[in-house]
Amino acid sequence: MARLRVPVGEDAERWVTRVGCRRVLFIVHNVTSATRLLDVLPLFHSDVRVQLFATCTGSSPFLAGVPELLAQAGLPVLPWEQAKETEFDLAVAASYGGELGLIRGKLTILSHGMGYNKRLATSGHRTPDTGHRTPDTGHRTPVFGLAPDWLLEDGRPLATATVLSHPEQLERLRSACPEAVPTAVLAGDPCYDRILAALPQRNRFRRALGVGPGRRLIVVSSTWAPRSLFGGAGTGGAGEPGADDLLPWLLSRLATELPVDEYRTAAVLHPNIWYGHGPGQIRAWLDNARRAGLEAIPPLDGWRQALIAADCVLGDHSSVTYYAASIGIPVLLGAFPQEDLDPLSPVAALGRTAPRLLRRGSLRAQIDRAITSHNPGRCKELAEQTSSSPGESAALLRRLFYGLMGIPEPEGHAALLDPLPLPPYIPARVTAPIRVLVRQISTDPPELALVRYAAVGDEPDPSEDPAERVDTAHTVVDEETRETGRLRVADVVVQRAAGDDPRLGPAAAWTSEALDRYPYCGLVAYVDGPDRCVVRTREGDLARLSAVADPEGRPDLCDPAVYASAFYAWVAGGRSLAPATPVITVRTGTTAHRVAVEPLSPFTP
């Protein structure tokens, strides 16, 4: 990386426009720590007295994604060597590691998770992330995030200010590293505060993920490292997945056991998983589950919104799992290595009380039981341990930062964090074949109940489940499926595109061509909106199926392919199409969807 010449550097005073600004340096170790720094970036907004910079220590093994993130932030980026040579009024980091002791400025260190909880192993005295250590003693000493190995350099505190979110952390600091106690500042948790501020947006976040009434959002959350849920090495493993590896079973059950219209699934994985193994590899590992509708939430944007929207989190000893529990979301622990945590930490306490996810038995039953048996009172205790100043971190941190810089806080505007943005609309799309089980409820008026399961790999056909009362069953295949051979034997083929897509549409043309292309198919459906589709039967009948909006005018978030399946079941049962107009009722789980049937051609008698 080239050295900067402006706004700092050799002869910088010749080129800058605003002179005399206080200099603030954001020190990034990896994408994980950068997310916390981005949380507090708005605290300096609108202050023309302050010039912000960023740098990367280069000390973390997880450097992928950092250049793109820094470019997105738009701050001047200093090479680490230049950053060490430059005078700053304030430096802010969200992780230890690298040569932080060489920074010329007052150093503030934030936690990049929910406090300091994890046990780390060092051999001799090790400066985290640098790879340099004093002569090896031949044994590994377990330490925690508040231990001297992290906080001290040459016996003195590394940071001018060590930000803590709760007094319980101060008590652990006093016990573990009394030398650093004078640097401790209680200033809340900005990440948690952004979550709290967005809680009223829960329903909007749910709709953004296509979760309507009667549907449950299940979020799989994992931190990194071998003994995490995604790592799969188990609590007593030797670093390799084996008999304790729950992940393959979990991904398989998520894909095939949960009815796709009653459950929405999403994965929130630690950035070190994404960038350590590579986004392409993560998507490949999740492929079956993704084809069955699982949404892999990007590591930077949207994970907090997914957490707020969730009905249940399947997690591990990560901060994300604890955040979920603290805002009242039921959790099931798929991995929880207690020996990797400070036993006095709140996260360790969660592991001693939360239910465990077990490989034996039904995944769906365990999820439903966790939701129905959830104790809201426990959430209050967890929330109280998350931050001693909920909603106040912006004010507390800005006061700290400006005090260290030696200038008064800006007048005329309060210290504020950015609100969590509303994510784009991302409905589930199942490209694996779907097995549809149909139960006729009534013929007058027409009403059917549908249960749909993704058919992935060699999993058993759910229609063979004796617990399901089934009148008929059929298979639906998305035209963009990878399993193209299944299109030849599908009962219903579905395409999703805009009505005016020149490659496929209009709907009438595609449906006619599709019936010719798939001669054994009984019905084809062109989904051209979030709550509507056009269908054509083998007999040539063409109809528009549209969800009847709720009393507030909101569109139905049910997959329109469900309407097509209900229409097909009605036709395949030998019934006349006329009674299906003007409205047919389709049930998925406990939700009734009223679907308007509009003939686009005269129905065949």
Side-chain angles (χ1 to χ4, degrees), residues 108-111 116 161-165 169 183-188 397 400:
T108 297
I109 298 184
L110 314 173
S111 165
Y116 298 85
T162 303
V163 176
L164 308 176
S165 61
Q169 295 164 22
T183 72
V185 178
L186 288 170
L397 286 170
L400 169 66

Side-chain angles (χ1 to χ4, degrees), residues 409-569:
E409 295 182 59
E411 296 181 358
H413 65 272
L416 299 171
L417 304 174
D418 281 343
L420 297 181
L422 181 64
Y425 179 55
I426 311 174
R429 179 163 186 182
V430 180
T431 59
I434 296 177
R435 191 66 171 159
V436 184
L437 313 181
V438 183
R439 179 166 54 89
Q440 183 72 52
I441 296 176
S442 169
T443 56
D444 186 17
E447 183 172 352
L448 303 94
L450 272 64
V451 182
R452 303 194 307 157
Y453 294 91
V456 179
D458 298 324
E459 297 296 331
D461 186 340
S463 64
E464 298 174 359
D465 184 354
E468 298 279 6
R469 190 196 121 194
V470 179
D471 295 326
T472 62
H474 62 267
T475 299
V476 177
V477 181
D478 191 297
E479 195 177 33
E480 295 185 13
T481 185
R482 181 184 301 168
E483 298 165 282
T484 55
R486 299 289 292 271
L487 288 166
R488 294 193 298 269
V489 294
D491 299 297
V492 176
V493 173
V494 177
Q495 177 57 262
R496 300 170 192 271
D500 59 354
D501 188 329
R503 302 165 302 165
L504 299 167
W510 179 86
T511 54
S512 179
E513 294 167 358
L515 284 174
D516 292 338
R517 200 159 42 243
Y518 311 115
Y520 299 106
C521 173
L523 179 142
V524 292
Y526 189 95
V527 178
D528 57 357
D531 58 351
R532 63 184 185 271
C533 64
V534 173
V535 298
R536 190 186 293 271
T537 68
R538 175 58 56 186
E539 289 72 26
D541 297 309
L542 188 67
R544 160 75 69 184
L545 309 181
S546 305
V548 177
D550 69 11
E552 296 179 345
R554 295 191 184 279
D556 188 8
L557 296 182
C558 181
D559 182 359
V562 171
Y563 317 151
S565 275
F567 195 77
Y568 171 76

Side-chain angles (χ1 to χ4, degrees), residues 113-119 144-145 168-169 172 317 319 340-343 345-348:
M114 207 296 295
Y116 298 85
N117 306 291
K118 291 184 180 179
R119 182 193 297 258
F144 302 108
E168 68 84 17
Q169 295 164 22
R172 287 191 284 134
H317 57 303
S319 295
D340 289 355
L341 297 167
D342 183 340
S345 69
V347 174

Side-chain angles (χ1 to χ4, degrees), residues 560-586:
V562 171
Y563 317 151
S565 275
F567 195 77
Y568 171 76
W570 184 268
V571 173
R575 301 177 185 89
S576 170
L577 291 175
T581 57
V583 173
I584 185 171
T585 300
V586 185

